[in-house]
PDB file of all heavy atoms in Angstrom:
ATOM      1  N   LEU A  28     116.485 127.401  15.132  1.00  0.00           N
ATOM      2  CA  LEU A  28     116.382 128.548  16.097  1.00  0.00           C
ATOM      3  C   LEU A  28     117.611 128.527  17.058  1.00  0.00           C
ATOM      4  O   LEU A  28     117.708 129.309  17.964  1.00  0.00           O
ATOM      5  CB  LEU A  28     115.094 128.302  17.033  1.00  0.00           C
ATOM      6  CG  LEU A  28     113.821 128.458  16.298  1.00  0.00           C
ATOM      7  CD1 LEU A  28     112.625 128.053  17.225  1.00  0.00           C
ATOM      8  CD2 LEU A  28     113.667 129.942  15.861  1.00  0.00           C
ATOM      9  N   GLY A  29     118.662 127.675  16.749  1.00  0.00           N
ATOM     10  CA  GLY A  29     119.849 127.742  17.482  1.00  0.00           C
ATOM     11  C   GLY A  29     120.045 126.767  18.633  1.00  0.00           C
ATOM     12  O   GLY A  29     121.077 126.864  19.286  1.00  0.00           O
ATOM     13  N   ALA A  30     119.099 125.791  18.672  1.00  0.00           N
ATOM     14  CA  ALA A  30     119.296 124.854  19.738  1.00  0.00           C
ATOM     15  C   ALA A  30     120.423 123.834  19.371  1.00  0.00           C
ATOM     16  O   ALA A  30     120.519 123.326  18.235  1.00  0.00           O
ATOM     17  CB  ALA A  30     118.005 124.155  19.954  1.00  0.00           C
ATOM     18  N   SER A  31     121.244 123.405  20.354  1.00  0.00           N
ATOM     19  CA  SER A  31     122.214 122.444  20.203  1.00  0.00           C
ATOM     20  C   SER A  31     121.542 121.051  20.167  1.00  0.00           C
ATOM     21  O   SER A  31     120.417 120.961  20.540  1.00  0.00           O
ATOM     22  CB  SER A  31     123.208 122.466  21.308  1.00  0.00           C
ATOM     23  OG  SER A  31     122.642 122.116  22.562  1.00  0.00           O
ATOM     24  N   PRO A  32     122.304 119.969  19.720  1.00  0.00           N
ATOM     25  CA  PRO A  32     121.606 118.710  19.791  1.00  0.00           C
ATOM     26  C   PRO A  32     121.144 118.251  21.118  1.00  0.00           C
ATOM     27  O   PRO A  32     120.099 117.621  21.246  1.00  0.00           O
ATOM     28  CB  PRO A  32     122.838 117.786  19.312  1.00  0.00           C
ATOM     29  CG  PRO A  32     123.630 118.668  18.417  1.00  0.00           C
ATOM     30  CD  PRO A  32     123.598 120.026  19.099  1.00  0.00           C
ATOM     31  N   TRP A  33     121.923 118.589  22.187  1.00  0.00           N
ATOM     32  CA  TRP A  33     121.484 118.227  23.545  1.00  0.00           C
ATOM     33  C   TRP A  33     120.302 119.048  23.953  1.00  0.00           C
ATOM     34  O   TRP A  33     119.342 118.531  24.542  1.00  0.00           O
ATOM     35  CB  TRP A  33     122.651 118.430  24.517  1.00  0.00           C
ATOM     36  CG  TRP A  33     122.133 118.384  25.904  1.00  0.00           C
ATOM     37  CD1 TRP A  33     122.202 119.401  26.885  1.00  0.00           C
ATOM     38  CD2 TRP A  33     121.636 117.243  26.649  1.00  0.00           C
ATOM     39  NE1 TRP A  33     121.614 119.034  28.100  1.00  0.00           N
ATOM     40  CE2 TRP A  33     121.341 117.652  28.007  1.00  0.00           C
ATOM     41  CE3 TRP A  33     121.505 115.928  26.221  1.00  0.00           C
ATOM     42  CZ2 TRP A  33     120.878 116.757  28.963  1.00  0.00           C
ATOM     43  CZ3 TRP A  33     120.935 115.072  27.160  1.00  0.00           C
ATOM     44  CH2 TRP A  33     120.576 115.492  28.519  1.00  0.00           C
ATOM     45  N   GLN A  34     120.307 120.347  23.552  1.00  0.00           N
ATOM     46  CA  GLN A  34     119.036 121.158  23.932  1.00  0.00           C
ATOM     47  C   GLN A  34     117.875 120.694  23.205  1.00  0.00           C
ATOM     48  O   GLN A  34     116.725 120.653  23.698  1.00  0.00           O
ATOM     49  CB  GLN A  34     119.439 122.589  23.522  1.00  0.00           C
ATOM     50  CG  GLN A  34     120.339 123.284  24.533  1.00  0.00           C
ATOM     51  CD  GLN A  34     120.662 124.701  24.128  1.00  0.00           C
ATOM     52  OE1 GLN A  34     120.688 124.913  23.026  1.00  0.00           O
ATOM     53  NE2 GLN A  34     120.891 125.597  25.099  1.00  0.00           N
ATOM     54  N   THR A  35     118.125 120.310  21.950  1.00  0.00           N
ATOM     55  CA  THR A  35     116.890 119.746  21.042  1.00  0.00           C
ATOM     56  C   THR A  35     116.368 118.497  21.703  1.00  0.00           C
ATOM     57  O   THR A  35     115.141 118.299  21.853  1.00  0.00           O
ATOM     58  CB  THR A  35     117.370 119.433  19.729  1.00  0.00           C
ATOM     59  OG1 THR A  35     117.935 120.623  19.118  1.00  0.00           O
ATOM     60  CG2 THR A  35     116.236 118.872  18.768  1.00  0.00           C
ATOM     61  N   PHE A  36     117.201 117.606  22.255  1.00  0.00           N
ATOM     62  CA  PHE A  36     116.774 116.337  22.868  1.00  0.00           C
ATOM     63  C   PHE A  36     116.109 116.665  24.160  1.00  0.00           C
ATOM     64  O   PHE A  36     114.994 116.096  24.464  1.00  0.00           O
ATOM     65  CB  PHE A  36     118.035 115.438  23.101  1.00  0.00           C
ATOM     66  CG  PHE A  36     117.605 114.293  23.885  1.00  0.00           C
ATOM     67  CD1 PHE A  36     116.905 113.151  23.327  1.00  0.00           C
ATOM     68  CD2 PHE A  36     117.972 114.195  25.252  1.00  0.00           C
ATOM     69  CE1 PHE A  36     116.578 111.985  24.093  1.00  0.00           C
ATOM     70  CE2 PHE A  36     117.654 113.093  26.044  1.00  0.00           C
ATOM     71  CZ  PHE A  36     116.857 112.034  25.460  1.00  0.00           C
ATOM     72  N   ARG A  37     116.682 117.468  25.038  1.00  0.00           N
ATOM     73  CA  ARG A  37     116.138 117.832  26.388  1.00  0.00           C
ATOM     74  C   ARG A  37     114.874 118.601  26.321  1.00  0.00           C
ATOM     75  O   ARG A  37     113.898 118.237  27.061  1.00  0.00           O
ATOM     76  CB  ARG A  37     117.242 118.566  27.207  1.00  0.00           C
ATOM     77  CG  ARG A  37     116.777 118.773  28.615  1.00  0.00           C
ATOM     78  CD  ARG A  37     117.935 119.321  29.465  1.00  0.00           C
ATOM     79  NE  ARG A  37     118.479 120.487  28.844  1.00  0.00           N
ATOM     80  CZ  ARG A  37     117.985 121.786  29.178  1.00  0.00           C
ATOM     81  NH1 ARG A  37     117.117 121.899  30.014  1.00  0.00           N
ATOM     82  NH2 ARG A  37     118.638 122.838  28.551  1.00  0.00           N
ATOM     83  N   LEU A  38     114.784 119.467  25.396  1.00  0.00           N
ATOM     84  CA  LEU A  38     113.631 120.448  25.458  1.00  0.00           C
ATOM     85  C   LEU A  38     112.478 120.087  24.555  1.00  0.00           C
ATOM     86  O   LEU A  38     111.344 120.515  24.650  1.00  0.00           O
ATOM     87  CB  LEU A  38     114.058 121.896  25.207  1.00  0.00           C
ATOM     88  CG  LEU A  38     115.103 122.435  26.168  1.00  0.00           C
ATOM     89  CD1 LEU A  38     115.584 123.816  25.667  1.00  0.00           C
ATOM     90  CD2 LEU A  38     114.483 122.593  27.554  1.00  0.00           C
ATOM     91  N   VAL A  39     112.818 119.325  23.405  1.00  0.00           N
ATOM     92  CA  VAL A  39     111.890 119.007  22.285  1.00  0.00           C
ATOM     93  C   VAL A  39     111.670 117.467  22.355  1.00  0.00           C
ATOM     94  O   VAL A  39     110.434 116.995  22.535  1.00  0.00           O
ATOM     95  CB  VAL A  39     112.327 119.492  20.952  1.00  0.00           C
ATOM     96  CG1 VAL A  39     111.245 119.113  19.950  1.00  0.00           C
ATOM     97  CG2 VAL A  39     112.594 120.990  21.090  1.00  0.00           C
ATOM     98  N   THR A  40     112.692 116.701  21.975  1.00  0.00           N
ATOM     99  CA  THR A  40     112.517 115.361  21.805  1.00  0.00           C
ATOM    100  C   THR A  40     111.968 114.504  23.026  1.00  0.00           C
ATOM    101  O   THR A  40     111.013 113.779  22.955  1.00  0.00           O
ATOM    102  CB  THR A  40     113.895 114.558  21.255  1.00  0.00           C
ATOM    103  OG1 THR A  40     114.319 115.346  20.235  1.00  0.00           O
ATOM    104  CG2 THR A  40     113.654 113.225  21.009  1.00  0.00           C
ATOM    105  N   LEU A  41     112.607 114.678  24.099  1.00  0.00           N
ATOM    106  CA  LEU A  41     112.317 113.973  25.321  1.00  0.00           C
ATOM    107  C   LEU A  41     110.892 114.213  25.877  1.00  0.00           C
ATOM    108  O   LEU A  41     110.148 113.175  26.153  1.00  0.00           O
ATOM    109  CB  LEU A  41     113.325 114.229  26.511  1.00  0.00           C
ATOM    110  CG  LEU A  41     113.260 113.480  27.738  1.00  0.00           C
ATOM    111  CD1 LEU A  41     113.305 111.914  27.445  1.00  0.00           C
ATOM    112  CD2 LEU A  41     114.309 113.860  28.812  1.00  0.00           C
ATOM    113  N   PRO A  42     110.441 115.531  25.877  1.00  0.00           N
ATOM    114  CA  PRO A  42     109.060 115.684  26.322  1.00  0.00           C
ATOM    115  C   PRO A  42     107.995 115.008  25.405  1.00  0.00           C
ATOM    116  O   PRO A  42     106.974 114.603  25.780  1.00  0.00           O
ATOM    117  CB  PRO A  42     108.966 117.209  26.235  1.00  0.00           C
ATOM    118  CG  PRO A  42     110.259 117.743  26.556  1.00  0.00           C
ATOM    119  CD  PRO A  42     111.142 116.783  25.812  1.00  0.00           C
ATOM    120  N   LEU A  43     108.355 115.004  24.107  1.00  0.00           N
ATOM    121  CA  LEU A  43     107.457 114.417  23.089  1.00  0.00           C
ATOM    122  C   LEU A  43     107.346 112.892  23.197  1.00  0.00           C
ATOM    123  O   LEU A  43     106.326 112.261  23.045  1.00  0.00           O
ATOM    124  CB  LEU A  43     107.887 114.796  21.678  1.00  0.00           C
ATOM    125  CG  LEU A  43     107.595 116.293  21.321  1.00  0.00           C
ATOM    126  CD1 LEU A  43     108.118 116.694  20.006  1.00  0.00           C
ATOM    127  CD2 LEU A  43     106.045 116.620  21.403  1.00  0.00           C
ATOM    128  N   ILE A  44     108.512 112.218  23.565  1.00  0.00           N
ATOM    129  CA  ILE A  44     108.611 110.835  23.538  1.00  0.00           C
ATOM    130  C   ILE A  44     108.402 110.387  25.026  1.00  0.00           C
ATOM    131  O   ILE A  44     108.316 109.050  25.234  1.00  0.00           O
ATOM    132  CB  ILE A  44     109.868 110.333  23.048  1.00  0.00           C
ATOM    133  CG1 ILE A  44     111.096 110.650  23.987  1.00  0.00           C
ATOM    134  CG2 ILE A  44     110.084 110.625  21.652  1.00  0.00           C
ATOM    135  CD1 ILE A  44     112.395 110.010  23.577  1.00  0.00           C
ATOM    136  N   MET A  45     108.211 111.201  26.047  1.00  0.00           N
ATOM    137  CA  MET A  45     108.097 110.785  27.388  1.00  0.00           C
ATOM    138  C   MET A  45     106.937 109.749  27.655  1.00  0.00           C
ATOM    139  O   MET A  45     107.156 108.875  28.401  1.00  0.00           O
ATOM    140  CB  MET A  45     107.839 112.055  28.300  1.00  0.00           C
ATOM    141  CG  MET A  45     107.854 111.671  29.807  1.00  0.00           C
ATOM    142  SD  MET A  45     109.337 110.745  30.321  1.00  0.00           S
ATOM    143  CE  MET A  45     110.626 111.992  30.169  1.00  0.00           C
ATOM    144  N   PRO A  46     105.769 109.985  27.030  1.00  0.00           N
ATOM    145  CA  PRO A  46     104.685 108.944  27.306  1.00  0.00           C
ATOM    146  C   PRO A  46     105.160 107.533  26.772  1.00  0.00           C
ATOM    147  O   PRO A  46     104.832 106.570  27.505  1.00  0.00           O
ATOM    148  CB  PRO A  46     103.548 109.355  26.391  1.00  0.00           C
ATOM    149  CG  PRO A  46     103.709 110.876  26.290  1.00  0.00           C
ATOM    150  CD  PRO A  46     105.190 111.097  26.226  1.00  0.00           C
ATOM    151  N   ALA A  47     105.869 107.470  25.675  1.00  0.00           N
ATOM    152  CA  ALA A  47     106.337 106.144  25.199  1.00  0.00           C
ATOM    153  C   ALA A  47     107.411 105.520  26.174  1.00  0.00           C
ATOM    154  O   ALA A  47     107.591 104.404  26.436  1.00  0.00           O
ATOM    155  CB  ALA A  47     106.974 106.359  23.774  1.00  0.00           C
ATOM    156  N   VAL A  48     108.268 106.520  26.663  1.00  0.00           N
ATOM    157  CA  VAL A  48     109.389 106.116  27.629  1.00  0.00           C
ATOM    158  C   VAL A  48     108.701 105.478  28.925  1.00  0.00           C
ATOM    159  O   VAL A  48     109.159 104.438  29.361  1.00  0.00           O
ATOM    160  CB  VAL A  48     110.274 107.305  27.946  1.00  0.00           C
ATOM    161  CG1 VAL A  48     111.227 106.915  29.076  1.00  0.00           C
ATOM    162  CG2 VAL A  48     111.028 107.756  26.737  1.00  0.00           C
ATOM    163  N   VAL A  49     107.662 106.171  29.400  1.00  0.00           N
ATOM    164  CA  VAL A  49     106.964 105.725  30.611  1.00  0.00           C
ATOM    165  C   VAL A  49     106.318 104.363  30.228  1.00  0.00           C
ATOM    166  O   VAL A  49     106.317 103.531  31.019  1.00  0.00           O
ATOM    167  CB  VAL A  49     105.988 106.741  31.025  1.00  0.00           C
ATOM    168  CG1 VAL A  49     105.180 106.200  32.291  1.00  0.00           C
ATOM    169  CG2 VAL A  49     106.699 107.980  31.423  1.00  0.00           C
ATOM    170  N   ALA A  50     105.580 104.339  29.090  1.00  0.00           N
ATOM    171  CA  ALA A  50     104.950 103.030  28.737  1.00  0.00           C
ATOM    172  C   ALA A  50     105.987 101.884  28.598  1.00  0.00           C
ATOM    173  O   ALA A  50     105.701 100.736  29.036  1.00  0.00           O
ATOM    174  CB  ALA A  50     104.261 103.239  27.392  1.00  0.00           C
ATOM    175  N   GLY A  51     107.136 102.216  28.067  1.00  0.00           N
ATOM    176  CA  GLY A  51     108.163 101.174  27.977  1.00  0.00           C
ATOM    177  C   GLY A  51     108.705 100.730  29.342  1.00  0.00           C
ATOM    178  O   GLY A  51     108.985  99.557  29.602  1.00  0.00           O
ATOM    179  N   ALA A  52     108.836 101.657  30.243  1.00  0.00           N
ATOM    180  CA  ALA A  52     109.234 101.381  31.614  1.00  0.00           C
ATOM    181  C   ALA A  52     108.239 100.488  32.277  1.00  0.00           C
ATOM    182  O   ALA A  52     108.589  99.530  32.965  1.00  0.00           O
ATOM    183  CB  ALA A  52     109.422 102.653  32.448  1.00  0.00           C
ATOM    184  N   LEU A  53     106.908 100.830  32.224  1.00  0.00           N
ATOM    185  CA  LEU A  53     105.959 100.044  32.823  1.00  0.00           C
ATOM    186  C   LEU A  53     105.890  98.621  32.223  1.00  0.00           C
ATOM    187  O   LEU A  53     105.708  97.609  32.942  1.00  0.00           O
ATOM    188  CB  LEU A  53     104.490 100.734  32.682  1.00  0.00           C
ATOM    189  CG  LEU A  53     104.368 102.051  33.395  1.00  0.00           C
ATOM    190  CD1 LEU A  53     103.026 102.593  33.067  1.00  0.00           C
ATOM    191  CD2 LEU A  53     104.471 101.739  34.848  1.00  0.00           C
ATOM    192  N   MET A  54     106.038  98.557  30.870  1.00  0.00           N
ATOM    193  CA  MET A  54     106.074  97.134  30.299  1.00  0.00           C
ATOM    194  C   MET A  54     107.230  96.455  30.721  1.00  0.00           C
ATOM    195  O   MET A  54     107.183  95.135  31.008  1.00  0.00           O
ATOM    196  CB  MET A  54     106.059  97.370  28.710  1.00  0.00           C
ATOM    197  CG  MET A  54     106.092  96.112  27.972  1.00  0.00           C
ATOM    198  SD  MET A  54     104.522  95.271  28.101  1.00  0.00           S
ATOM    199  CE  MET A  54     103.440  96.328  27.173  1.00  0.00           C
ATOM    200  N   SER A  55     108.525  97.046  30.805  1.00  0.00           N
ATOM    201  CA  SER A  55     109.636  96.358  31.306  1.00  0.00           C
ATOM    202  C   SER A  55     109.392  95.800  32.735  1.00  0.00           C
ATOM    203  O   SER A  55     109.818  94.734  33.150  1.00  0.00           O
ATOM    204  CB  SER A  55     110.860  97.211  31.241  1.00  0.00           C
ATOM    205  OG  SER A  55     111.163  97.629  29.939  1.00  0.00           O
ATOM    206  N   PHE A  56     108.805  96.711  33.538  1.00  0.00           N
ATOM    207  CA  PHE A  56     108.593  96.222  34.986  1.00  0.00           C
ATOM    208  C   PHE A  56     107.691  94.956  34.982  1.00  0.00           C
ATOM    209  O   PHE A  56     107.906  94.079  35.756  1.00  0.00           O
ATOM    210  CB  PHE A  56     107.952  97.458  35.719  1.00  0.00           C
ATOM    211  CG  PHE A  56     107.580  97.106  37.208  1.00  0.00           C
ATOM    212  CD1 PHE A  56     108.612  97.265  38.167  1.00  0.00           C
ATOM    213  CD2 PHE A  56     106.443  96.610  37.571  1.00  0.00           C
ATOM    214  CE1 PHE A  56     108.327  97.023  39.456  1.00  0.00           C
ATOM    215  CE2 PHE A  56     106.097  96.348  38.852  1.00  0.00           C
ATOM    216  CZ  PHE A  56     107.027  96.449  39.891  1.00  0.00           C
ATOM    217  N   THR A  57     106.605  94.986  34.178  1.00  0.00           N
ATOM    218  CA  THR A  57     105.685  93.956  34.159  1.00  0.00           C
ATOM    219  C   THR A  57     106.319  92.630  33.615  1.00  0.00           C
ATOM    220  O   THR A  57     106.169  91.579  34.234  1.00  0.00           O
ATOM    221  CB  THR A  57     104.491  94.273  33.231  1.00  0.00           C
ATOM    222  OG1 THR A  57     103.891  95.464  33.719  1.00  0.00           O
ATOM    223  CG2 THR A  57     103.481  93.151  33.159  1.00  0.00           C
ATOM    224  N   LEU A  58     107.161  92.805  32.676  1.00  0.00           N
ATOM    225  CA  LEU A  58     107.838  91.610  32.110  1.00  0.00           C
ATOM    226  C   LEU A  58     108.791  91.052  33.001  1.00  0.00           C
ATOM    227  O   LEU A  58     109.053  89.827  33.095  1.00  0.00           O
ATOM    228  CB  LEU A  58     108.553  91.920  30.779  1.00  0.00           C
ATOM    229  CG  LEU A  58     107.598  92.342  29.610  1.00  0.00           C
ATOM    230  CD1 LEU A  58     108.448  92.940  28.479  1.00  0.00           C
ATOM    231  CD2 LEU A  58     106.873  91.094  29.154  1.00  0.00           C
ATOM    232  N   SER A  59     109.542  91.824  33.837  1.00  0.00           N
ATOM    233  CA  SER A  59     110.531  91.462  34.799  1.00  0.00           C
ATOM    234  C   SER A  59     109.954  90.805  35.909  1.00  0.00           C
ATOM    235  O   SER A  59     110.562  89.779  36.417  1.00  0.00           O
ATOM    236  CB  SER A  59     111.493  92.689  35.121  1.00  0.00           C
ATOM    237  OG  SER A  59     112.398  92.269  36.119  1.00  0.00           O
ATOM    238  N   ILE A  60     108.898  91.360  36.526  1.00  0.00           N
ATOM    239  CA  ILE A  60     108.512  90.954  37.879  1.00  0.00           C
ATOM    240  C   ILE A  60     107.810  89.474  37.829  1.00  0.00           C
ATOM    241  O   ILE A  60     107.917  88.757  38.835  1.00  0.00           O
ATOM    242  CB  ILE A  60     107.522  91.945  38.526  1.00  0.00           C
ATOM    243  CG1 ILE A  60     107.454  91.665  39.980  1.00  0.00           C
ATOM    244  CG2 ILE A  60     106.000  91.903  37.883  1.00  0.00           C
ATOM    245  CD1 ILE A  60     106.774  92.767  40.749  1.00  0.00           C
ATOM    246  N   ASP A  61     107.361  89.099  36.594  1.00  0.00           N
ATOM    247  CA  ASP A  61     106.695  87.748  36.555  1.00  0.00           C
ATOM    248  C   ASP A  61     107.390  86.826  35.613  1.00  0.00           C
ATOM    249  O   ASP A  61     106.974  85.778  35.226  1.00  0.00           O
ATOM    250  CB  ASP A  61     105.219  87.891  36.149  1.00  0.00           C
ATOM    251  CG  ASP A  61     104.997  88.503  34.835  1.00  0.00           C
ATOM    252  OD1 ASP A  61     106.021  88.757  34.093  1.00  0.00           O
ATOM    253  OD2 ASP A  61     103.934  88.574  34.404  1.00  0.00           O
ATOM    254  N   ASP A  62     108.700  87.170  35.224  1.00  0.00           N
ATOM    255  CA  ASP A  62     109.450  86.226  34.443  1.00  0.00           C
ATOM    256  C   ASP A  62     109.923  84.999  35.169  1.00  0.00           C
ATOM    257  O   ASP A  62     110.422  85.116  36.324  1.00  0.00           O
ATOM    258  CB  ASP A  62     110.708  86.972  33.834  1.00  0.00           C
ATOM    259  CG  ASP A  62     111.508  86.026  32.997  1.00  0.00           C
ATOM    260  OD1 ASP A  62     111.168  85.773  31.874  1.00  0.00           O
ATOM    261  OD2 ASP A  62     112.495  85.560  33.464  1.00  0.00           O
ATOM    262  N   PHE A  63     109.760  83.910  34.570  1.00  0.00           N
ATOM    263  CA  PHE A  63     110.170  82.592  35.215  1.00  0.00           C
ATOM    264  C   PHE A  63     111.409  81.904  34.596  1.00  0.00           C
ATOM    265  O   PHE A  63     112.369  81.584  35.236  1.00  0.00           O
ATOM    266  CB  PHE A  63     109.028  81.581  35.308  1.00  0.00           C
ATOM    267  CG  PHE A  63     109.372  80.206  35.778  1.00  0.00           C
ATOM    268  CD1 PHE A  63     109.561  80.089  37.111  1.00  0.00           C
ATOM    269  CD2 PHE A  63     109.680  79.158  34.979  1.00  0.00           C
ATOM    270  CE1 PHE A  63     109.895  78.891  37.713  1.00  0.00           C
ATOM    271  CE2 PHE A  63     110.146  77.921  35.437  1.00  0.00           C
ATOM    272  CZ  PHE A  63     110.195  77.809  36.830  1.00  0.00           C
ATOM    273  N   VAL A  64     111.284  81.836  33.232  1.00  0.00           N
ATOM    274  CA  VAL A  64     112.323  80.928  32.521  1.00  0.00           C
ATOM    275  C   VAL A  64     113.683  81.585  32.631  1.00  0.00           C
ATOM    276  O   VAL A  64     114.655  80.873  33.098  1.00  0.00           O
ATOM    277  CB  VAL A  64     111.989  80.792  31.055  1.00  0.00           C
ATOM    278  CG1 VAL A  64     112.971  80.024  30.292  1.00  0.00           C
ATOM    279  CG2 VAL A  64     110.533  80.140  30.918  1.00  0.00           C
TER     280      VAL A  64
END
């Protein structure tokens, strides 16, 4: 449909993977805040 690679990522890819991105951010926060070693 004529979308550039950046437009495809911003308008299609990013919204679709956003739940996984948020889940990864929460997981990273959890791992970081209680890491000891």
Side-chain angles (χ1 to χ4, degrees):
L28 292 173
S31 65
W33 169 245
Q34 289 175 326
T35 301
F36 171 77
R37 182 171 59 89
L38 300 176
V39 180
T40 307
L41 185 58
L43 290 174
I44 66 172
M45 184 56 69
V48 173
V49 176
L53 294 174
M54 183 66 70
S55 299
F56 180 88
T57 302
L58 294 169
S59 174
I60 199 168
D61 62 0
D62 177 80
F63 174 81
V64 177

